[in-house]
């Protein structure tokens, strides 16, 4: 009887190890794709607005205008 109990314990340990290994290698893909896209787009849109669309407080220029003026200055295009 004791050998059977040892075999059962060994089988249970092996099964638990297999379950743990399986759990470590699988991915949890139960997410709502629509929500993920919505969240990703919202964060992208906010970074674009902050980085490109709003004028800077220091000089009131957007980055694209600042680059254009800098290039004009480097080329010697002055009034």
């Amino acid at each position: 009887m004791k050998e059977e109990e040892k075999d059962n314990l060994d089988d249970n340990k092996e099964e638990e190890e297999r379950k743990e290994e399986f759990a470590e290698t699988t991915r949890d893909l139960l997410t709502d794709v629509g929500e993920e896209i919505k969240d990703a787009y919202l964060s992208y849109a906010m970074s674009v607005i902050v980085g490109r669309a709003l004028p800077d407080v220091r000089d009131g220029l957007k980055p694209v205008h600042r680059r254009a003026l800098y290039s004009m200055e480097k080329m010697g295009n002055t009034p």
Side-chain angles (χ1 to χ4, degrees):
M1 197 70 167
K2 289 189 178 195
E3 284 186 31
E4 287 179 18
E5 288 177 5
K6 284 183 181 179
D7 288 341
N8 284 341
L9 287 175
D10 289 340
D11 289 341
N12 286 342
K13 284 183 182 179
E14 288 177 11
E15 185 176 335
E16 286 177 15
E17 288 174 1
R18 271 190 254 126
K19 284 181 182 179
E20 287 177 10
E21 182 179 327
F22 181 73
E24 290 174 3
T25 59
T26 60
R27 289 180 162 177
D28 186 18
L29 297 177
L30 300 175
T31 59
D32 184 18
V33 176
E35 281 297 316
E36 288 294 322
I37 292 172
K38 185 178 175 182
D39 292 341
Y41 182 75
L42 184 60
S43 92
Y44 167 73
M46 289 303 294
S47 70
V48 167
I49 288 171
V50 170
R52 289 190 267 179
L54 293 177
D56 196 353
V57 176
R58 296 173 289 182
D59 54 12
L61 296 174
K62 294 180 183 179
V64 67
H65 300 123
R66 190 175 301 106
R67 284 191 299 270
L69 289 174
Y70 179 77
S71 298
M72 289 171 63
E73 177 71 27
K74 291 289 273 187
M75 289 189 303
N77 296 337
T78 56

